[in-house]
């Protein structure tokens, strides 16, 4: 059974602040936001490690591999903030800031 963990909401606020700061430069790409995401992920739990651009694995080349105590527990495919599809809401929100 999974154990509920209390997550510090300030971590998410700091992450969003960094994303907004990067986005406002109007020079950002998908990779520009990855450092902030790595910091957020690793702040969620003491034993988490987020590796950006890990070696290829059987299922392909994820943007991140998330490990707990060196055991892989998940993969993340990061995307740029764009003005199409599901990202319209994020783009709209960031554009108003």
């Amino acid at each position: 059974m999974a154990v509920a963990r209390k997550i510090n909401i300030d971590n998410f606020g700091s992450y969003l602040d960094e994303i907004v700061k990067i986005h406002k430069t109007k020079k950002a790409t998908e990779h520009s936001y990855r450092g902030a995401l790595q910091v957020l992920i690793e702040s969620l739990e003491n034993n988490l490690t987020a590796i950006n651009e890990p070696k290829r694995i059987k299922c392909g080349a994820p943007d991140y591999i998330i490990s707990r105590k060196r055991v892989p527990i998940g993969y993340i495919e990061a995307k740029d903030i764009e003005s199409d599809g599901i990202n319209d809401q994020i783009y709209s929100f960031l554009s108003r800031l």
Side-chain angles (χ1 to χ4, degrees):
M1 177 183 264
V3 176
R5 300 180 192 279
K6 186 175 181 180
I7 297 175
N8 185 343
I9 196 69
D10 291 338
N11 296 341
F12 290 99
S14 296
Y15 170 70
L16 289 175
D17 288 346
E18 186 65 16
I19 295 302
V20 168
K21 181 175 109 180
I22 293 167
H23 185 266
K24 283 184 175 182
T25 69
K26 302 199 183 298
K27 297 176 185 173
T29 67
E30 173 185 324
H31 292 267
S32 304
Y33 304 98
R34 290 191 180 183
L37 181 58
Q38 184 172 357
V39 169
L40 173 65
I41 292 165
E42 291 181 348
S43 75
L44 297 176
E45 188 178 307
N46 287 339
N47 296 317
L48 288 183
T49 303
I51 302 296
N52 183 24
E53 296 292 334
K55 292 181 181 179
R56 287 187 69 82
I57 55 176
K58 288 182 183 179
C59 68
D63 292 329
Y64 287 93
I65 184 170
I66 310 304
S67 301
R68 180 183 293 127
K69 297 182 181 179
R70 297 189 293 164
V71 176
I73 60 169
Y75 304 94
I76 295 176
E77 181 66 27
K79 295 297 177 199
D80 196 2
I81 298 173
E82 301 170 352
S83 62
D84 64 338
I86 196 164
N87 290 325
D88 279 342
Q89 294 172 4
I90 296 169
Y91 183 81
S92 176
F93 170 76
L94 291 173
S95 295
R96 291 189 304 260
L97 299 176

